[in-house]
Amino acid sequence: MENVEKKGMTNERESGRIGGGNEFIEKRKTEMLNVLVCDDDREIVEAIDIYLTQEGYQVFKAYDGMEAVSVLRKNEIHLLVIDIMMPKLDGIHATLKIREESSIPIIILSAKSEDTDKILGLNIGADDYLTKPFNPLELVARVKSQLRRYTKLGSMNLDQERNVYRNGGLLIDDEKKEVTVDGEEVKLTPIEYQILLLLVKNAGRVYSIRQIYEAIWNEEAIGVDNTVAVHIRHIREKIEINPKEPRYLKVVWGVGYKVEKGEKSR
């Protein structure tokens, strides 16, 4: 483990505790969840495997982008952790290919820390980004957070028979986790879905970037403007006929974002 910590993972004892334990998902609920870890550094893959297995996840392994795509096509994978710099097919192009077929949460790992690289990762469909070297407990916390949303646990699991929210031609069926616009289904990533659901359920209310981030990511918002803005742009591109003149998801300059109240909004 010592060599792995030097290459890509920090010692959690030095960085402090970052969300270990079962506060997000009980172990009995994680036993059937499958996580694919893809990195050309086999020691990092093995180390991540140890931490995730301890939390009750089934871990699948791949060592390049082509192998990751193949594993995803042959198995039911619920979340992907993938490195950017890899042989055969890098993490960027692998994510692009995977997004054509799946909306599972994707966490990108990379030694690159520049904002442009983070934005690129989010732009191609990733849900989260972690820079090497990283604390393995932080990765576990992020995996739990993403899977909590994806598996409809926590706040998404509402104790009602049916939860349908309509705003003009925009409809969210929160029981089926489906979004349609004028009758056409729209494919959103788990993060995009949660943001849109938050705004539609609270139509007319303006949310700041900080409020959106803290409500969806469940952590303090520090330097997250670009992260939220990228997801908002993706949502607009998917639900608006003309993203530059949106019908639903609108910006309130200097304040934040909101979904306008529609006649049939609930």
Side-chain angles (χ1 to χ4, degrees):
M1 184 68 69
E2 183 178 353
N3 292 335
V4 175
E5 289 171 351
K6 290 179 180 178
K7 289 184 178 181
M9 302 174 71
T10 62
N11 189 322
E12 64 271 21
R13 289 174 300 199
E14 297 176 359
S15 300
R17 185 177 181 277
I18 308 181
N22 301 319
E23 63 269 34
F24 291 137
I25 304 177
E26 298 175 6
K27 282 196 175 184
R28 63 181 176 82
K29 294 179 180 178
T30 66
E31 289 174 354
M32 300 304 294
L33 296 177
N34 301 326
V35 177
L36 171 59
V37 179
C38 181
D39 195 309
D40 61 330
D41 189 322
R42 291 176 179 266
E43 290 186 345
I44 289 181
V45 173
E46 293 302 320
I48 294 174
D49 179 18
I50 291 171
Y51 279 92
L52 293 180
T53 299
Q54 287 176 346
E55 293 297 323
Y57 299 107
Q58 175 70 38
V59 178
F60 291 73
K61 304 171 188 177
Y63 304 100
D64 62 68
M66 292 296 293
E67 188 177 2
V69 172
S70 177
V71 171
L72 277 161
R73 287 173 175 170
K74 296 176 182 177
N75 301 275
E76 183 181 6
I77 302 298
H78 301 106
L79 180 141
L80 169 64
V81 178
I82 188 167
D83 185 34
I84 287 183
M85 301 300 293
M86 294 185 298
K88 296 184 180 179
L89 186 68
D90 63 31
I92 295 295
H93 290 90
T95 297
L96 284 168
K97 185 177 291 292
I98 290 164
R99 273 290 172 253
E100 295 175 357
E101 306 174 15
S102 173
S103 62
I104 64 167
I106 297 176
I107 299 175
I108 283 183
L109 302 178
S110 177
K112 298 181 178 180
S113 61
E114 291 82 0
D115 285 342
T116 52
D117 294 307
K118 295 180 181 180
I119 293 171
L120 175 60
L122 295 171
N123 270 329
I124 62 172
D127 298 281
D128 206 351
Y129 190 110
L130 198 58
T131 302
K132 296 179 180 179
F134 58 88
N135 186 316
L137 293 183
E138 181 176 3
L139 175 61
V140 170
R142 289 172 185 258
V143 167
K144 287 183 177 182
S145 179
Q146 293 295 331
L147 283 172
R148 178 178 54 191
R149 284 185 285 269
Y150 185 66
T151 56
K152 311 174 185 66
L153 296 176
S155 61
M156 287 185 66
N157 188 14
L158 304 178
D159 296 326
Q160 299 177 15
E161 288 186 4
R162 188 167 178 79
N163 303 282
V164 177
Y165 302 90
R166 184 185 298 276
N167 192 304
L170 172 64
L171 185 145
I172 300 179
D173 186 330
D174 196 37
E175 181 178 298
K176 297 180 179 179
K177 306 304 178 208
E178 291 180 352
V179 178
T180 58
V181 178
D182 298 331
E184 295 291 327
E185 186 174 359
V186 176
K187 296 292 186 182
L188 300 179
T189 68
I191 289 288
E192 293 166 0
Y193 179 88
Q194 282 289 324
I195 292 174
L196 184 60
L197 180 63
L198 172 71
L199 297 177
V200 169
K201 287 174 66 175
N202 299 278
R205 175 180 171 181
V206 180
Y207 280 82
S208 68
I209 286 176
R210 175 180 293 274
Q211 289 173 324
I212 292 173
Y213 187 89
E214 293 182 349
I216 303 303
W217 277 265
N218 295 305
E219 61 186 34
E220 185 179 1
I222 301 176
V224 298
D225 290 20
N226 287 334
T227 299
V228 175
V230 167
H231 287 297
I232 290 289
R233 185 172 73 249
H234 287 170
I235 296 169
R236 276 181 165 172
E237 290 171 349
K238 294 177 180 180
I239 70 171
E240 304 286 0
I241 295 175
N242 182 357
K244 295 182 178 180
E245 297 181 4
R247 289 187 295 168
Y248 305 111
L249 184 47
K250 299 191 176 183
V251 62
V252 179
W253 294 108
V255 183
Y257 300 95
K258 70 174 182 177
V259 166
E260 293 281 16
K261 281 189 176 181
E263 293 181 0
K264 296 182 180 180
S265 179
R266 172 189 156 189

